[in-house]
């Protein structure tokens, strides 16, 4: 059983290699098509001339033909070297290691928040399809999707920070004057919990709420919609009818029998939503000065700084593969039939 | 027990009951001695000479590293402004310039220490100056503008004495020792981290410091924040007021404005012009509005590209633009205008100074007809994304105004990297951008922005007389002759119009009411050493 | 499925769903209103959307300017009305481009299978693994921010879905009796795919098309916020919202509120319409 699962994981990872390879090459080429020249941008001192630009270009290897650059880049990537960022002056690997936990923590929290809201709403809608409740739920969830995230974010800041003063200042992961916990996992909530610093935990948590809510609002609709659809399908099933006929209490049927069976498709959507959010939270990270990977990639993209953008896309592609794999394995655990191919 | 400063969102009931957290006296004290600056840009290196270092990085380095000398400051209209004509000692206690202007002797301050407690020596200074002219960095070309090009020009002349030797009496040689690139480095420490391929420890100094300045770097997270603590041993100037400085990157300008207004941050120098008036009227903050006297926003023509190679076309466009509306829409009139002067010969040798630019549509049409383009022509007008909030309204007005004389404009908003590349390759026909000269001497502006085949020659301009005059002015020892040369350059510029000088935007430093002493510096960042909380 | 049901029954069913479903009716009404506004913009707008009047800048809503004026004194209502044209055009162009391309590629792959199918499958895998918003940003940065490039970037983002969808749907039906019949009566592959298979999957993608229309508008707005949107002075909702958002803290709320509401209404209608279409097309809902 375990060996089979291991083989399965290995097989899936191997199968994903061509796609990831494609992503690396495609990103590399897209970056080279960008009309900005990083050497010109970065040799931008008040008195820098052509000599500096040429020197920097040579140092970055940009004076070589593109295919040669690509070969060097692939060799570096294979050895775990993602290059150096000109925007931060650090190796891309270091930058990503510092910033990825921030993005992951935000995305996980947002997804959790969205699921906590979307599943009950979806169930509510599914119990009375076509009713006023169903329509109200649908309307509310859709409202969340139809505002650009940056507007939602700016509005939340304006109301909850500026006008009401309920929220701490919307800049980054932790109160700037508070001390950070010793870095154990990089996830602030975990690190604070591990060190038992509950005041710190609460401070970090309050910083998280607004950006997470901004993101959660945006993904509420697909999750609620999928919960509703999948609950509807399950509730129409024979075993529910049997359970009802046996006189089991209504809530028990819904929670224990129906929901358990309806959750799998929701999980799939949640996985897809997670990968999309991680790549698409550029706007939220910008608005909330969140030190994550997406805003890192954006700054680099605007400066035509190749290495960080390439590193970021590679990272996102890898996470995409892993998330799909995890969902797949969860499927296998929940429903052994799904494993048989 | 550790107590958070603010309670924040903890469930609606709790919030309604307790909107603000409680603060212990000790925390209030440490907050009062902490300066929190919020900036749009980010610090990307601790070594300001690294290619690509940002303006914010220059600012941090001025507080962390000492230079041999520093500019003084003066008060204008109640605001402090740097004064490049007064050069005082910093790490050097005093200096002398020989009568022929060919030798500068600098005497190091006795008892000056590096952050690690070791004494500053003439060897360290020599190494630092050698590094500035030898290592592949931005310092090389800057030092050239002061005729500082070779390690042989720097000589140790006894314990704590350094001589700088010049071939010609360059008027900016000494000034160059005060710019952000002229950092003095603890050479013993740096050499420990130098390698065969990196003899000047450039890699190590990007993320570490070997300095002697008023502040030490407590933590540095590139692109996120820098925290500085006061160097209690600093003797090279009066000890700064703030014990701790946090410089944090907050990309959203609106959020920066909110932070200052709520009192959570103390200072921001890069808010949007549109927010300043509102902030001022609400009365929660103090605003120091100082025109950036060493900068200018301009509209440039590519003077080697048709039809802009024709001076009549440039003059026609200059006569077609609605300067007053542009100033109002773009900057909400916050700055000093450089158009609308009334002279035929320049009243003085200062630069930038207002040039005789005025809207006159009839003149514009006549000039276009003289240029053989009575029916107008089509061209593009470009600007960079990062300046969109001021350039976009400007571009819309340029498009509309030129439409009236038959010139059809396509507006191009380009990512900054692309704008810079096209600028360097001289592929932009007509665009707006801005420039700032660290050393605002009139000849230096002309040398930097109007001569040579290089990126900062915005208009791709080649005028033999300007080249001749700027080179002569550089080494001119006679004050009156220098002034005549400068005035002639300004006259040529006003006549030939390779670019249209528009205005000098204000630096609007918005700060808490108790913050005092803000000084506008030539590198357009905050010198924390000047600041205090009343 | 839908092919088996006759058209009249579908229409009757649609009418029934609409009567019972106010939300869908609202969405339909809203969409119709938007299209109408876009078509009639030149007659509805009281001012030239790009004519500036700096003396009259930043005025709050008044009788002369119902939605106020912007930084250059332009009438916001007039800009919104004209903006409807461009926004609907961007959304429609982007979605139809990705649908037509995606469905054709997917359908041919599904029909023919083989090496081409596998190659396209790999390409789709690569696209799917890409952080798509970043891809859109990079494309606009690389090609320049003209309207057509924003359309291309948005189209590429949606492409993988349509390819996958069309491929699966066609592969399932390839062996169906009526396709065999079409083949037997001498129709070539291209004709079968274009004439028989594609029209049959259209109703099932209608839902996705409607949702994507909303996303396309949001996407353009997001790009504008990052400085990669449509260039001024073209009136477009996304850039109006993105620029207006900068003035929230200065108290000039009308600069963001009205464009924001317009954008919200459009996206809301498209999304709800998608859900409504799903109900109409979902056989389980039919009683």
């Amino acid at each position: 059983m375990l060996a089979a699962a291991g083989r399965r994981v290995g097989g899936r990872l191997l199968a994903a290699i061509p796609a990831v390879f494609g992503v690396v090459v495609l990103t590399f080429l897209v970056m080279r098509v960008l009309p900005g020249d990083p050497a010109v941008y970065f040799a931008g001192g008040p008195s820098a001339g052509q000599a500096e630009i040429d020197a920097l270009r040579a140092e970055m290897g940009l004076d070589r033909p593109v295919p040669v650059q690509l070969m060097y880049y692939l060799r570096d990537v294979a050895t775990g070297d993602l290059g150096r960022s000109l925007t931060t002056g650090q190796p891309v690997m270091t930058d990503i290691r510092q910033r990825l936990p921030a993005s992951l923590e935000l995305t996980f929290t947002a997804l959790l928040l969205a699921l906590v809201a979307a599943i009950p709403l979806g169930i509510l809608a599914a119990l009375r399809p076509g009713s006023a409740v169903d329509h109200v739920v649908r309307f509310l969830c859709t409202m969340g999707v139809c505002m650009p995230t940056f507007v939602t974010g700016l509005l939340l800041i304006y109301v909850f920070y500026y006008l009401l003063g309920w929220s701490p200042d919307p800049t980054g992961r932790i109160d700037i004057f508070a001390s950070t916990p010793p870095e154990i996992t990089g996830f602030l909530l975990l690190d604070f919990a591990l060190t038992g610093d509950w005041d710190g935990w609460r401070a970090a948590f309050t910083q998280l709420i607004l950006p997470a809510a901004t993101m959660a609002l945006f993904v509420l609709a697909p999750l609620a919609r999928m919960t509703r659809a999948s609950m509807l399908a399950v509730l129409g099933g024979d075993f529910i009818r049997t359970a009802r006929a046996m006189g089991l209490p209504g809530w028990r049927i819904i929670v224990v029998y129906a929901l358990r069976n309806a959750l799998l498709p929701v999980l799939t959507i949640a996985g897809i939503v997670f990968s999309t959010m991680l790549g698409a939270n550029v706007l939220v990270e910008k608005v909330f000065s969140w030190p994550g990977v997406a805003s890192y990639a954006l700054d680099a993209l605007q400066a035509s700084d190749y290495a960080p953008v390439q590193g970021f896309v590679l990272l996102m592609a890898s996470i995409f593969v892993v998330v799909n794999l995890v969902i797949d394995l969860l499927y296998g655990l929940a429903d052994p039939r799904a494993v048989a191919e | 027990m550790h107590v958070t400063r603010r309670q924040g969102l903890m469930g609606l009931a709790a919030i309604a009951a307790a909107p603000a957290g409680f603060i212990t006296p000790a925390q209030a004290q440490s907050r009062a001695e902490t300066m929190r600056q919020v900036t749009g840009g980010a610090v990307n290196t601790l070594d300001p000479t690294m290619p690509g270092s940002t303006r914010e990085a220059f600012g941090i380095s001025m507080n962390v590293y000492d230079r041999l000398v520093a500019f003084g400051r003066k008060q204008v209209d109640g605001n402090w402004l740097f004064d490049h004509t007064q050069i005082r000692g910093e790490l050097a206690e005093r200096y002398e310039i020989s009568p022929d202007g060919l030798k500068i002797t600098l005497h190091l301050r006795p008892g000056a220490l590096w952050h690690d407690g070791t004494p500053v020596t003439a060897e360290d200074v020599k190494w630092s100056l050698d590094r500035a002219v030898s290592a592949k960095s931005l310092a090389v070309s800057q030092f050239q503008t002061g005729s500082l090009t070779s390690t042989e020009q720097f000589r140790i002349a006894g314990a704590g004495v350094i001589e700088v030797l010049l071939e010609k009496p360059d008027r900016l040689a000494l000034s160059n020792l005060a710019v952000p690139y002229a950092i003095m480095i603890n050479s013993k420490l740096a050499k420990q981290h130098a390698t065969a391929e990196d003899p000047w420890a450039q890699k190590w100094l990007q993320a570490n410091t070997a300095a002697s300045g008023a502040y030490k770097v407590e933590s540095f997270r590139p692109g996120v924040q820098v925290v500085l603590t006061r160097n209690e041993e600093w003797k090279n100037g009066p000890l700064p007021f703030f014990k701790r400085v946090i410089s944090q990157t907050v990309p959203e300008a609106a959020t920066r404005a909110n932070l200052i207004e709520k009192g959570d941050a103390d200072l921001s120098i890069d808010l949007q012009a549109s927010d300043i008036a509102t902030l001022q009227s609400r009365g929660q903050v103090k605003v120091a509005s100082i025109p950036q006297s060493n900068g200018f926003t301009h509209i440039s023509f590519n003077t080697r590209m048709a039809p802009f190679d024709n001076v009549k076309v440039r003059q026609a466009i200059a006569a077609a633009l609605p300067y007053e509306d542009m100033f109002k829409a773009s900057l909400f009139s916050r700055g000093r205008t450089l158009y609308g002067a009334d002279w035929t010969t320049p009243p003085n040798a200062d630069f930038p100074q207002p040039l005789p630019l005025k809207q006159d549509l009839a003149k514009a049409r006549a000039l276009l007809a003289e240029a053989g383009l009575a029916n107008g022509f089509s061209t593009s007008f470009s600007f960079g994304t990062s300046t969109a909030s001021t350039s976009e309204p400007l571009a819309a007005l340029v498009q509309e105004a030129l439409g009236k004389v038959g010139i059809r404009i396509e507006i191009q908003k380009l990512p900054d990297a692309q704008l810079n590349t096209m600028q360097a390759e001289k592929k932009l026909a007509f665009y707006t951008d801005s420039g700032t000269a660290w050393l605002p001497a009139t000849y230096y502006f002309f040398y930097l922005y109007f001569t040579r085949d290089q990126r900062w020659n915005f208009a791709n301009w080649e005028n033999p007389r300007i080249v001749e005059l700027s080179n002569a002015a550089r080494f001119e020892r006679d004050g009156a002759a220098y002034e005549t040369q400068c005035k002639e350059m300004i006259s040529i510029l006003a006549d030939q119009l390779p670019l249209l000088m528009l205005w000098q935007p204000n630096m609007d430093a918005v700060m808490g009411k108790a913050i005092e002493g803000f000084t506008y510096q030539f590198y357009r960042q905050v010198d924390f050493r000047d600041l205090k909380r009343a | 499925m839908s092919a088996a049901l006759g058209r009249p029954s579908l229409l009757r069913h649609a009418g029934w769903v609409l009567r019972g479903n106010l939300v869908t009716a609202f969405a339909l009404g809203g969409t119709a209103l938007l299209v109408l506004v876009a078509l009639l913009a030149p007659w509805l707008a009281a001012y030239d959307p790009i004519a500036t009047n700096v003396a009259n800048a930043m005025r709050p809503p008044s009788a002369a300017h119902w939605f106020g004026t912007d930084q250059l004194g332009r009438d916001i209502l007039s800009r919104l009305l004209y903006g409807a044209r461009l926004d609907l055009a961007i959304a429609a162009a982007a979605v139809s481009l990705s649908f037509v391309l995606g469905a054709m590629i997917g359908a041919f792959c599904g029909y023919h299978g083989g090496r081409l199918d596998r190659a396209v499958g790999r390409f789709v895998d690569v696209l799917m693994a890409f952080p798509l918003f970043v891809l859109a940003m990079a494309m606009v940065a690389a090609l320049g921010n003209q309207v057509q490039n924003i359309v291309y970037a948005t189209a590429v983002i949606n492409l993988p879905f349509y390819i996958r969808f069309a491929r699966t749907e066609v592969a399932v039906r390839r062996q169906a009796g009526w396709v065999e019949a079409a083949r037997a009566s001498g129709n070539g592959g291209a004709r079968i795919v274009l004439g028989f298979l594609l029209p049959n999957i259209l109703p099932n993608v209608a839902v996705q098309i409607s949702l994507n229309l909303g996303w396309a508008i949001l996407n353009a707005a997001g790009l504008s916020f990052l400085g990669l949107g449509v260039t001024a002075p073209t009136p477009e909702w996304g850039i109006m919202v993105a620029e207006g958002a900068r003035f929230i803290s200065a108290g000039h709320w009308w600069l963001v509120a009205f464009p924001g509401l317009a954008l919200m209404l459009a996206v809301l209608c498209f999304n709800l319409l998608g859900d409504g279409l799903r109900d109409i097309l979902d056989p389980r809902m039919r009683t």
Side-chain angles (χ1 to χ4, degrees):
Chain A
M1 178 70 193
L2 260 180
R7 258 201 311 280
R8 204 172 142 64
V9 172
R12 286 292 299 256
L13 287 180
L14 274 182
I17 286 178
V20 174
F21 179 79
V23 168
V24 171
V25 174
L26 188 64
T27 322
F28 185 90
L29 295 178
V30 168
M31 289 309 287
R32 294 311 181 278
V33 175
L34 282 184
D37 181 338
V40 176
Y41 188 74
F42 285 101
S47 50
Q50 194 58 41
E52 280 80 11
I53 295 173
D54 290 340
L56 189 60
R57 197 175 281 147
E59 197 188 316
M60 293 168 67
L62 296 178
D63 51 346
R64 293 184 287 226
V66 171
V68 179
Q69 290 179 40
L70 179 61
M71 295 319 289
Y72 276 106
Y73 181 67
L74 289 176
R75 188 199 62 192
D76 289 347
V77 168
T79 56
D81 175 9
L82 295 179
R84 224 181 157 79
S85 160
L86 288 169
T87 352
T88 65
Q90 294 199 95
V92 173
M93 211 59 174
T94 315
D95 281 333
I96 286 182
R97 206 176 303 132
Q98 283 173 356
R99 285 164 168 267
L100 184 61
S103 289
L104 285 178
E105 191 168 38
L106 175 60
T107 313
F108 271 126
T109 314
L111 188 63
L112 204 68
L113 218 60
L115 282 173
V116 165
I119 292 178
L121 284 174
I123 295 174
L124 215 61
L127 288 180
R128 300 266 175 76
S131 71
V133 177
D134 186 16
H135 293 316
V136 168
V137 165
R138 171 183 300 180
F139 197 82
L140 283 182
C141 292
T142 313
M143 287 286 278
V145 203
C146 56
M147 277 264 246
T149 43
F150 65 90
V151 176
T152 320
L154 287 170
L155 270 181
L156 288 179
I157 291 177
Y158 187 64
V159 173
F160 288 100
Y161 170 67
Y162 182 75
L163 289 181
L164 300 174
W166 292 358
S167 168
D169 62 49
T171 55
R173 303 172 74 188
I174 190 166
D175 183 341
I176 189 114
F177 299 105
S179 48
T180 44
E183 190 155 316
I184 304 167
T185 58
F187 290 80
L188 283 185
L189 291 184
L190 279 181
D191 288 353
F192 275 125
L194 287 174
T195 50
D197 179 357
W198 296 108
D199 288 315
W201 192 91
R202 205 167 51 209
F205 182 69
T206 49
Q207 294 282 134
L208 249 176
I209 292 181
L210 285 193
T214 309
M215 285 172 78
L217 273 177
F218 200 71
V219 295
L220 209 53
L223 293 174
R225 196 183 287 142
M226 185 44 81
T227 312
R228 175 182 178 273
S230 133
M231 276 300 276
L232 271 182
V234 173
L235 285 174
D238 290 338
F239 70 102
I240 296 291
R241 242 171 279 162
T242 315
R244 276 194 214 278
M246 285 166 66
L248 286 174
W251 62 268
R252 220 189 128 102
I253 296 176
I254 293 161
V255 174
V256 178
Y257 296 94
L259 186 59
R260 205 174 62 188
N261 285 287
L263 271 183
L264 270 184
V266 179
L267 197 71
T268 317
I269 292 285
I272 294 172
V273 163
F274 179 81
S275 331
T276 334
M277 273 163 109
L278 204 54
N281 56 17
V282 182
L283 298 165
V284 178
E285 288 189 2
K286 270 278 145 196
V287 168
F288 289 92
S289 317
W290 200 259
V293 280
S295 57
Y296 171 66
L298 173 71
D299 291 341
L301 183 67
Q302 284 176 338
S304 284
D305 188 359
Y306 299 154
V309 181
Q310 289 164 187
F312 168 77
V313 174
L314 174 59
L315 176 78
M316 288 299 124
S318 317
I319 290 179
F320 180 80
V321 168
V322 172
V323 168
N324 280 349
L325 185 65
V326 169
I327 292 173
D328 210 49
L329 291 177
L330 285 179
Y331 248 89
L333 287 181
D335 183 0
R337 280 171 307 171
V339 181
E341 277 172 53
Chain B
M1 196 186 98
H2 176 81
V3 185
T4 52
R5 202 166 57 88
R6 269 171 265 93
Q7 301 285 81
L9 265 173
M10 295 192 314
L12 289 173
I15 294 149
F22 48 94
I23 303 162
T24 66
Q27 279 175 324
Q29 175 65 24
S30 89
R31 176 66 187 91
E33 288 170 346
T34 302
M35 151 66 47
R36 180 187 181 191
Q37 185 205 1
V38 282
T39 68
V43 178
N44 59 349
T45 168
L46 295 175
D47 178 358
T49 67
M50 180 192 100
S53 54
T54 57
R55 212 190 306 154
E56 286 72 16
F58 298 152
I60 290 297
S61 97
M62 292 304 276
N63 290 285
V64 171
Y65 281 95
D66 283 326
R67 280 110 192 113
L68 287 168
V69 292
F71 291 154
R73 62 174 184 168
K74 62 186 173 191
Q75 216 160 9
V76 179
D77 303 332
N79 291 312
W80 287 106
L81 201 63
F82 76 96
D83 183 358
H84 68 284
T85 59
Q86 279 181 43
I87 298 180
R88 60 184 168 85
E90 189 166 90
L91 194 57
E93 183 187 33
R94 61 198 158 85
Y95 62 85
E96 297 117 30
I97 302 177
S98 64
D100 59 2
L102 295 179
K103 185 165 92 179
I104 306 169
T105 312
L106 299 127
H107 304 268
L108 296 185
R109 202 176 291 271
L113 299 176
W114 297 113
H115 286 167
D116 63 6
T118 55
V120 176
T121 64
E123 284 73 22
D124 291 320
V125 173
K126 158 88 175 143
W127 189 83
S128 304
L129 292 171
D130 286 354
R131 181 180 189 264
V133 295
S134 313
K136 273 185 195 160
S137 80
L138 298 174
V140 178
S141 57
Q142 176 64 44
F143 269 43
Q144 273 167 6
T145 67
S147 300
L148 303 170
T149 53
S150 130
T151 58
E152 283 148 32
Q153 290 175 270
F154 311 117
R155 204 165 68 191
I156 300 174
V161 183
I162 275 277
E163 285 174 358
V164 177
L165 308 170
L166 300 163
E167 270 179 29
K168 281 192 198 173
D170 195 304
R171 58 174 55 235
L172 290 184
L174 183 64
S175 304
N176 263 296
L177 298 180
V179 302
Y181 297 152
I183 52 175
M184 289 299 123
I185 303 167
N186 180 345
S187 67
K188 291 171 288 293
L189 180 57
K191 277 185 207 157
Q192 289 168 19
H193 300 276
T195 58
E197 63 269 27
D198 180 19
W200 302 103
Q202 287 179 291
K203 279 242 156 62
W204 186 77
L205 283 168
Q206 276 180 27
N208 301 280
T209 55
S212 62
Y215 284 96
K216 297 179 182 177
V217 176
E218 179 185 311
S219 73
F220 167 48
R221 293 174 58 205
V224 183
Q225 68 186 57
V226 184
V227 182
L228 305 178
T229 38
R230 189 168 69 186
N231 173 11
E232 303 297 333
E233 308 302 319
W234 196 57
K235 301 287 188 314
N236 303 333
L239 197 66
F241 172 85
F242 286 104
K243 283 191 174 161
R244 201 155 175 258
V245 173
I246 299 173
S247 176
Q248 186 187 13
T249 303
V250 176
E252 263 306 303
T255 307
R256 294 199 292 278
N258 287 343
L259 287 168
I260 306 277
E261 200 175 1
K262 299 278 281 184
D264 285 328
D266 299 310
L267 174 63
S268 182
I269 55 167
D270 47 4
L271 297 183
Q272 300 168 103
S274 56
D275 282 345
I276 308 279
T278 316
L279 285 173
Q280 229 163 358
S281 69
R282 287 192 197 137
Q284 302 295 315
V285 298
K286 184 156 101 184
V287 181
S289 297
I290 309 164
Q292 302 186 17
S293 57
N294 57 336
F296 59 94
T297 302
H298 59 89
I299 290 179
S300 277
F301 308 102
N302 190 333
T303 54
R304 289 187 223 177
M305 194 186 271
F308 301 114
D309 52 352
N310 185 338
V311 64
K312 292 221 157 47
V313 173
R314 305 200 293 263
Q315 288 164 341
I317 289 178
L321 296 180
Y323 296 97
E324 208 54 56
D325 280 357
M326 282 155 52
F327 187 48
K328 198 174 162 206
S330 173
L331 280 190
F332 296 86
S333 305
R334 303 193 69 84
R336 172 188 177 224
T337 57
L338 294 178
Y339 54 80
D342 245 336
W343 47 258
T344 39
T345 51
N348 56 52
D350 293 345
F351 197 79
Q353 65 166 296
L355 299 185
L357 296 172
K358 279 194 194 87
Q359 189 178 26
D360 181 348
L361 287 180
K363 185 177 159 201
R365 288 199 188 93
L367 280 162
L368 271 184
E370 280 177 48
L373 290 165
N375 295 324
F377 56 93
S378 297
T379 186
S380 61
F381 183 74
S382 319
F383 58 86
T385 311
S386 67
T387 66
S389 65
T390 52
S391 298
E392 215 146 49
L394 174 83
L397 288 170
V398 168
Q399 186 184 46
E400 196 180 31
L402 294 186
K404 288 181 191 155
V405 294
I407 302 174
R408 294 162 301 278
I409 300 285
E410 190 206 335
I411 297 175
Q412 287 182 336
K413 176 164 66 181
L414 305 173
D416 288 59
Q418 190 181 345
L419 185 88
N420 294 347
T421 308
M422 291 179 74
Q423 208 172 46
E425 292 170 353
K426 306 298 171 202
K427 283 180 183 155
L428 293 170
F430 183 37
Y431 67 101
T432 179
D433 196 6
S434 54
T436 317
W438 277 353
L439 308 173
T442 301
Y443 106 79
Y444 183 75
F445 273 101
F446 278 86
Y447 175 73
L448 194 56
Y449 294 119
F450 301 113
T451 66
R452 297 170 297 145
D453 244 336
Q454 41 99 21
R455 174 174 160 201
W456 304 107
N457 187 346
F458 290 122
N460 198 11
W461 195 33
E462 195 179 23
N463 183 303
R465 183 67 186 147
I466 292 280
V467 174
E468 196 180 315
L469 283 167
S470 66
N471 280 326
R474 180 175 182 182
F475 303 109
E476 182 58 63
R477 309 269 295 156
D478 176 46
Y482 175 74
E483 193 150 309
T484 316
Q485 288 159 344
C486 289
K487 280 186 182 175
E488 189 184 342
M489 287 193 284
I490 296 170
S491 300
I492 298 175
L493 182 75
D495 174 57
Q496 290 294 309
L497 295 175
L499 54 71
L500 309 175
M501 307 277 257
L502 297 177
W503 47 70
Q504 296 178 317
N506 274 353
M507 163 148 295
D508 289 303
V510 180
M511 55 199 123
K513 277 186 165 165
I515 306 292
E516 286 176 357
F518 175 81
T519 305
Y520 173 68
Q521 294 290 357
F522 62 102
Y523 49 92
R524 296 189 292 159
Q525 285 296 307
V526 184
D527 192 330
F528 301 117
R529 298 172 296 185
D530 298 331
L531 297 174
K532 66 174 183 178
R533 196 187 296 275
Chain C
M1 292 186 282
S2 45
L5 286 155
R7 291 286 138 190
S9 127
L10 184 67
L11 272 184
R12 225 183 0 254
H13 174 68
W16 178 82
V17 169
L18 278 187
R19 263 195 306 281
N21 189 336
L22 286 177
V23 175
T24 308
F26 165 84
L28 211 61
T31 311
L33 179 75
L34 286 174
V35 173
L36 213 64
V37 162
L39 290 177
L40 299 179
W43 291 276
L44 293 174
Y47 299 87
D48 180 343
I50 55 171
T52 63
N53 178 5
V54 176
N56 199 22
M58 293 288 198
R59 294 290 153 87
S62 65
H65 298 278
W66 292 359
F67 288 0
T69 62
D70 68 5
Q71 200 174 350
L72 287 164
R74 299 174 297 204
D75 181 53
I76 290 181
L77 176 59
S78 305
R79 286 177 70 72
L80 277 184
L81 295 172
Y82 274 91
R85 300 192 135 190
L86 186 59
D87 274 279
L88 293 189
I90 289 179
V95 174
S96 38
L97 192 66
S98 54
F99 168 67
V100 169
L101 262 182
M104 297 241 283
I105 297 172
F108 276 102
C109 289
Y111 187 77
H112 290 292
R115 199 177 299 161
L116 175 76
D117 182 26
R118 278 196 298 278
V120 170
R122 287 272 178 251
F123 177 68
V124 172
D125 284 343
V126 169
L127 270 189
M128 299 272 279
F130 231 91
L132 289 172
F133 189 67
V134 175
L135 179 65
M137 278 161 43
M139 280 187 68
V140 177
L143 301 170
N145 40 4
Q146 279 94 36
V147 173
Q148 70 267 29
N149 296 335
I150 291 164
V151 168
Y152 295 147
T154 314
V156 166
I157 290 189
N158 293 327
L159 202 56
F161 171 82
Y162 290 107
I163 297 182
R164 282 253 162 110
F165 192 87
R167 190 194 164 277
T168 324
E169 294 281 315
V170 169
V172 166
R173 293 192 180 127
R174 188 164 53 157
Q175 307 303 339
W178 52 274
V179 177
E180 293 288 354
R183 206 175 289 141
S185 51
N187 288 297
R191 210 180 135 72
I192 291 175
V193 170
L194 290 179
F196 296 88
L197 287 170
L198 274 187
N200 261 291
I201 65 170
L202 189 60
N204 293 347
V205 276
V207 179
Q208 189 68 25
I209 289 181
S210 178
L211 292 177
N212 280 357
L213 283 173
W215 288 347
I217 293 181
L218 286 180
N219 203 46
L223 288 173
S224 293
F225 183 67
L226 300 175
L228 293 166
V230 176
T231 310
T234 319
E236 192 264 336
W237 295 347
I239 191 129
M240 289 173 76
V241 173
E243 288 191 344
R246 298 201 320 252
F247 293 98
I248 296 182
S249 59
H252 307 303
W253 55 273
W254 59 93
L255 286 169
V256 64
F258 295 113
L261 284 174
L263 197 132
M264 225 173 127
L265 179 73
V267 181
L268 187 68
C269 287
F270 287 136
N271 275 323
L272 291 174
L273 199 65
D275 281 342
L277 279 176
R278 194 193 320 257
D279 288 350
I280 294 172
L281 297 169
D282 186 351
R284 263 200 300 269
M285 287 292 293
R286 296 178 197 177
T287 39

